Amino acid sequence: MGKRSRQRQRNQPAARDSRDNGWGAGYDDIIKENKLFEHYYKELGLVPDGEFDQFMEAMREPLPATIRITGYKRYPDELAWHTNMSRKIIRKSPLLEKFHQFLVSETESGNISRQEAVSMIPPLLLKIEPHHKILDMCAAPGSKTAQLIEMLHADMDVPFPEGFVIANDVDNKRCYLLVHQAKRLNSPCIMVVNHDASCIPTLHVDSDGKKDILFYDRILCDVPCSGDGTMRKNIDVWKKWTTSNSLHLHGLQLRIAVRGVEQLAVGGRMVYSTCSLNPIEDEAVIAALLEKSEGALELADGSADLPGLKWMPGVTSWKLMTKEGQWYSDWSEVPTSRHTQIRPTMFPPKDPQKLASLHLERCMRILPHHQNTGGFFVAVLVKKAPMPWNKRYPKVLSLTHTHTYRLAMGLDSEGEGAGDKTPKGASQAQETPAKQDGVCGPPPSKKMRLFGFKEDPFVFLSEDDPVFSPIQTFYDLSPDFPKFNVLTRTHEGKKRHLYMVSKELRNVLLNNSERLKVINTGVKVWSRNSDGEEFGCAFRLAQEGIYTLNPYIRSRMITVSVEDIKVLLTQENPFLSKLEDSAHAQAKKMGNIVLRYQPNPNNPAEPQCPIELCGWRGKTSIRAFVPRNERFHYLRMLGVEVFRDKQGQGQGRRDAEKEGKEGGEEEEIEAEKEEESQGAAENEGELDLKNGDQDGSSEPKTNGGNQGTSS
């Protein structure tokens, strides 16, 4: 929503200095006025009578900060929290420094997400269940993707839900931002891919011994938009806003929505959303989609699913305006010279009966002044039957998706849009017919490598892979351990990291390697460790995968108390004698171990959720391999103070880099990463935590560190 590419101007202090004191001073110079914007929305009448001044006043106020607690980590039901403070105040106020450090640390460890309130709405309206196969079409930076993952893992006792999330984004660099966001949740049911959403390939899966097309139960279609609902946080929109932005985006939004409903299963739900208030990007797209679906799609009423939400019904009449101020109420009024910029689908249907049958009033528009939020639009679509153009053109899968779209929209039937044979933004590579089974696929491999990084292939362990046998023995894995779901990212040489995916994602990976550009998938469960070879296993457990592996590990477990955990997380390499007698007596085997705390319901003062930590038992000492922010999380749960006053060291530069950016939700994520990379978290604790490898695991002589997608 409101996604725009940005050039991060690192190492250019002169450019930053021109803003005086970073975000606070430089952005105050932007006058929050845009007469064209006010004139346009007054004329459209989207804001109730007598409320326009309130609407504009709210748009000029900073957006309050909101957070969402990760929904599957055994927390209470009140998962989303709304503050009365802006992000700027939280970051800059000395009185809130401890709270700010808490937000940064807990976000990085995956326990909370800093997400705008209206951004949380689309996943809620999808009604996710753990068995659903989900496609997030335009996923970066990933806050909604994180919500989808959480909903799949609603039952934390099930390590491998039947469903999965395929999160896609067209921008290769933003895919890595998406990976960072998703990896915090340590799920084996997420795959990040890199495709143009308007022609994302159709995938195949094995079903009962035959190849079937993969249709998704749920699709999130949060399309790129002009973002005028984000003026409260993206200050640049005030000076950049013009009506032509919506005119340029409408076609792309419609193409993405068409591709979404094509891949939706009959009976499935797709949520279309934007952070734009403009009907050209909102109701016009939905109306065109419904009209061409010929009854295959139905606009659902989602109001009952969010009873406390204040929203305005979708409109059934609107008109458009050019940047020069010329208004058009109907396609017949548009001069031929503007036919390449203004399309028939931008106007509401003429037939009143047909218009009424679309039920556009079921669309939901959230206005900022009603609940102190950003502006937002959302529509819930239910698929009742296959799309009519798939029936009408039985050989449609042998065509390029661009031609499919044009047939569906009727753009080739009477010569409409002549001279516009390629959708805006589509490359020639996307016009290339797919090689296999006539399915719309990605560009040939050489062209795929022209953009972004070349990713290593995913390789699943074979039946006789010598790597697995010592792992099986060392950890005494149960017979039902899904060995064939273990994969790595190298064909040759030593395997450095082992990952796990669910069996459903394994099915997708094995059947679509030629048509799918996968950036990342699964959760890391083991990493090569040279010190472990003398104890019989060259792979140590990875903390991020411990909750996935836990149901299958039957050896090397040590039950610890609250006091033991405090020792393990506040001391770098404590002697075994520092543990209580019970834990000390269990710690007999050297090498990799699992430290497990089980809650005592008779002692409510202690944490009432299980804690599992990867560790290492040496000759005389024991240590926990836990990333820094996760350490802080557990210590906070135990009442241990982990805050240190930074006394402003380096704060100005960090604030300038973090807050002087546009980008909405991704600003939050980049802020977290920036905070981490600048060392704020290192100064956060009153602890001597000199961690060894890059993931904060403190382990000596570990081969590989934390290399992300490499193996």
Side-chain angles (χ1 to χ4, degrees):
M1 45 184 273
K3 297 163 180 129
R4 299 184 299 274
S5 61
R6 298 173 301 151
Q7 295 295 325
R8 296 191 61 185
Q9 313 232 334
R10 290 185 182 275
N11 304 319
Q12 295 187 26
R16 267 187 222 113
D17 290 344
S18 66
R19 292 181 170 181
D20 298 323
N21 294 318
W23 190 94
Y27 273 82
D28 283 346
D29 294 338
I30 296 178
I31 299 173
K32 297 177 182 177
E33 286 187 10
N34 188 309
K35 297 299 183 185
L36 187 66
F37 175 86
E38 293 189 42
H39 172 61
Y40 182 71
Y41 280 108
K42 268 186 180 178
E43 186 71 20
L44 287 181
L46 299 180
V47 180
D49 292 341
E51 295 183 16
F52 196 83
D53 288 344
Q54 291 175 260
F55 166 74
M56 290 304 302
E57 185 179 342
M59 292 290 273
R60 293 186 177 98
E61 289 295 315
L63 189 69
T66 51
I67 64 171
R68 180 174 48 77
I69 300 171
T70 299
Y72 66 89
K73 294 194 174 182
R74 302 182 191 275
Y75 290 106
D77 291 332
E78 296 176 335
L79 298 180
W81 293 83
H82 185 289
T83 74
N84 290 321
M85 302 170 291
S86 69
R87 295 171 302 181
K88 175 184 173 183
I89 291 174
I90 292 175
R91 286 177 183 154
K92 285 181 172 282
S93 172
L95 294 175
L96 297 172
E97 186 176 10
K98 184 175 182 179
F99 180 51
H100 181 222
Q101 290 186 9
F102 164 81
L103 291 178
V104 170
S105 176
E106 293 296 325
T107 300
E108 194 66 21
S109 61
N111 295 300
I112 66 172
S113 292
R114 294 149 76 187
Q115 181 181 3
E116 186 183 351
V118 291
S119 172
M120 304 177 194
I121 294 173
L124 296 175
L125 291 175
L126 279 171
K127 295 185 176 180
I128 301 296
E129 296 179 15
H131 64 275
H132 282 154
K133 298 171 177 60
I134 308 163
L135 172 64
D136 190 349
M137 299 189 75
C138 308
S143 58
K144 296 183 194 66
T145 307
Q147 264 185 284
L148 301 175
I149 296 170
E150 292 169 30
M151 292 172 177
L152 281 182
H153 289 274
D155 185 351
M156 201 175 175
D157 293 327
V158 179
F160 293 98
E162 291 183 24
F164 57 77
V165 178
I166 294 180
N168 174 72
D169 203 84
V170 67
D171 188 318
N172 184 265
K173 291 182 180 178
R174 287 168 60 87
C175 282
Y176 293 92
L177 186 63
L178 179 57
V179 169
H180 170 79
Q181 179 79 313
K183 284 181 72 174
R184 299 178 306 122
L185 300 179
N186 303 329
S187 171
C189 303
I190 172 69
M191 178 190 295
V192 176
V193 300
N194 180 201
H195 291 278
D196 180 344
S198 66
C199 57
I200 190 168
T202 299
L203 303 184
H204 287 171
V205 289
D206 284 329
S207 178
D208 297 326
K210 63 178 182 179
K211 288 283 181 70
D212 275 348
I213 290 176
L214 172 62
F215 289 102
Y216 300 93
D217 303 298
R218 298 290 188 266
I219 293 181
L220 177 56
C221 187
D222 186 52
V223 296
C225 68
S226 61
D228 58 21
T230 70
M231 284 178 162
R232 300 184 68 179
K233 62 179 179 181
N234 295 333
I235 313 298
D236 273 354
V237 179
W238 283 96
K239 64 180 181 180
K240 293 179 178 178
W241 187 91
T242 175
T243 56
S244 60
N245 294 341
S246 294
L247 302 181
H248 291 154
L249 285 164
H250 170 88
L252 174 63
Q253 292 162 340
L254 184 52
R255 289 195 298 274
I256 293 173
V258 166
R259 190 59 183 143
V261 296
E262 286 178 342
Q263 301 220 27
L264 186 64
V266 173
R269 291 166 73 94
M270 184 176 92
V271 169
Y272 175 91
S273 60
T274 76
C275 54
S276 168
L277 301 175
N278 200 322
I280 308 302
E281 303 177 62
D282 299 338
E283 284 93 344
V285 174
I286 296 299
L289 195 58
L290 289 170
E291 193 173 7
K292 296 298 181 181
S293 76
E294 299 177 7
L297 297 175
E298 178 181 274
L299 195 54
D301 183 355
S303 58
D305 300 318
L306 298 172
L309 180 67
K310 295 179 182 178
W311 54 280
M312 297 297 297
V315 295
T316 56
S317 66
W318 61 88
K319 51 186 178 178
L320 59 82
M321 183 178 70
T322 65
K323 64 180 180 181
E324 297 82 16
Q326 177 67 47
W327 288 94
Y328 298 108
S329 299
D330 186 78
W331 169 248
S332 62
E333 301 173 2
V334 181
T336 306
S337 60
R338 289 191 178 272
H339 279 191
T340 56
Q341 181 190 20
I342 300 174
R343 305 298 305 141
T345 53
M346 296 177 182
F347 297 93
K350 284 184 179 181
D351 185 343
Q353 191 172 4
K354 179 182 288 186
L355 182 61
S357 70
L358 301 183
H359 295 292
L360 292 179
E361 72 279 358
R362 294 176 181 172
C363 297
M364 306 167 76
R365 179 174 280 101
I366 294 93
L367 299 179
H369 65 294
H370 283 167
Q371 282 181 299
N372 196 16
T373 65
F376 205 70
F377 174 88
V378 62
V380 181
L381 295 158
V382 176
K383 189 171 181 178
K384 299 293 187 180
M387 303 314 294
W389 53 87
N390 293 128
K391 297 177 183 177
R392 191 173 299 134
Y393 305 102
K395 296 183 179 179
V396 78
L397 289 178
S398 67
L399 306 173
T400 65
H401 177 65
T402 300
H403 189 45
T404 304
Y405 162 78
R406 296 187 61 81
L407 289 171
M409 294 294 107
L411 297 182
D412 284 344
S413 58
E414 297 180 2
E416 288 181 1
D420 185 25
K421 293 297 182 184
T422 303
K424 193 163 187 173
S427 66
Q428 270 193 321
Q430 291 162 353
E431 298 278 28
T432 306
K435 294 179 181 179
Q436 185 175 354
D437 298 334
V439 176
C440 173
S445 57
K446 289 185 179 179
K447 292 197 175 184
M448 285 178 67
R449 293 171 188 166
L450 291 176
F451 306 99
F453 300 100
K454 178 185 176 183
E455 294 291 341
D456 293 327
F458 287 94
V459 183
F460 286 91
L461 295 190
S462 61
E463 176 73 36
D464 57 351
D465 195 308
V467 165
F468 188 73
S469 181
I471 293 176
Q472 173 93 46
T473 303
F474 188 78
Y475 296 101
D476 189 19
L477 298 179
S478 60
D480 61 339
F481 176 76
K483 168 186 173 181
F484 295 109
N485 295 3
V486 180
L487 55 86
T488 184
R489 297 206 75 167
T490 179
H491 277 295
E492 300 175 353
K494 285 189 174 181
K495 298 174 175 64
R496 293 166 56 192
H497 301 296
L498 300 179
Y499 304 85
M500 286 198 74
V501 295
S502 63
K503 67 176 183 179
E504 289 77 13
L505 273 188
R506 180 180 189 273
N507 192 349
V508 173
L509 280 165
L510 289 176
N511 285 285
N512 300 281
S513 60
E514 295 299 319
R515 60 173 64 87
L516 200 59
K517 183 177 180 183
V518 179
I519 301 297
N520 198 281
T521 192
V523 59
K524 183 166 68 175
V525 288
W526 283 290
S527 291
R528 183 173 289 277
N529 170 32
S530 57
D531 284 352
E533 293 184 1
E534 63 177 294
F535 304 114
C537 182
F539 285 86
R540 71 166 178 87
L541 295 164
Q543 179 65 27
E544 54 260 57
I546 189 61
Y547 288 101
T548 300
L549 290 178
N550 173 57
Y552 306 102
I553 297 175
R554 300 184 298 184
S555 178
R556 315 193 70 81
M557 294 282 190
I558 298 176
T559 301
V560 294
S561 67
V562 166
E563 293 305 315
D564 291 332
I565 293 180
K566 289 180 181 178
V567 169
L568 290 163
L569 296 183
T570 56
Q571 299 184 29
E572 172 64 15
N573 201 14
F575 287 110
L576 285 165
S577 58
K578 294 286 187 75
L579 300 181
E580 294 185 350
D581 292 343
S582 174
H584 192 177
Q586 297 173 61
K588 296 178 180 179
K589 296 181 179 180
M590 294 179 63
N592 203 193
I593 54 174
V594 178
L595 302 153
R596 174 183 290 173
Y597 162 79
Q598 291 292 340
N600 180 3
N602 298 321
N603 189 353
E606 294 183 349
Q608 292 299 300
C609 60
I611 299 174
E612 291 170 351
L613 311 175
C614 294
W616 186 270
R617 199 273 203 200
K619 291 181 180 178
T620 59
S621 63
I622 194 168
R623 69 193 333 176
F625 297 150
V626 183
R628 182 190 306 116
N629 287 309
E630 200 163 338
R631 284 186 182 224
F632 293 155
H633 168 70
Y634 289 128
L635 289 172
R636 287 189 185 101
M637 290 174 58
L638 302 176
V640 178
E641 179 63 77
V642 293
F643 169 77
R644 177 183 293 173
D645 185 358
K646 298 196 290 282
Q647 298 178 343
Q649 294 179 359
Q651 193 67 32
R653 179 181 175 187
R654 283 195 296 273
D655 284 342
E657 291 183 351
K658 290 181 297 182
E659 302 200 50
K661 297 191 284 254
E662 57 177 309
E665 293 166 45
E666 56 204 289
E667 180 180 334
E668 295 285 2
I669 299 164
E670 288 292 342
E672 296 151 16
K673 293 173 69 179
E674 194 70 24
E675 189 87 16
E676 183 75 7
S677 64
Q678 293 293 339
E682 289 183 36
N683 296 326
E684 212 173 35
E686 300 179 338
L687 318 171
D688 180 21
L689 303 179
K690 297 178 182 177
N691 299 311
D693 66 3
Q694 296 177 29
D695 65 0
S697 63
S698 317
E699 183 177 355
K701 300 181 184 178
T702 299
N703 294 340
N706 184 14
Q707 300 295 329
T709 59
S710 60
S711 295

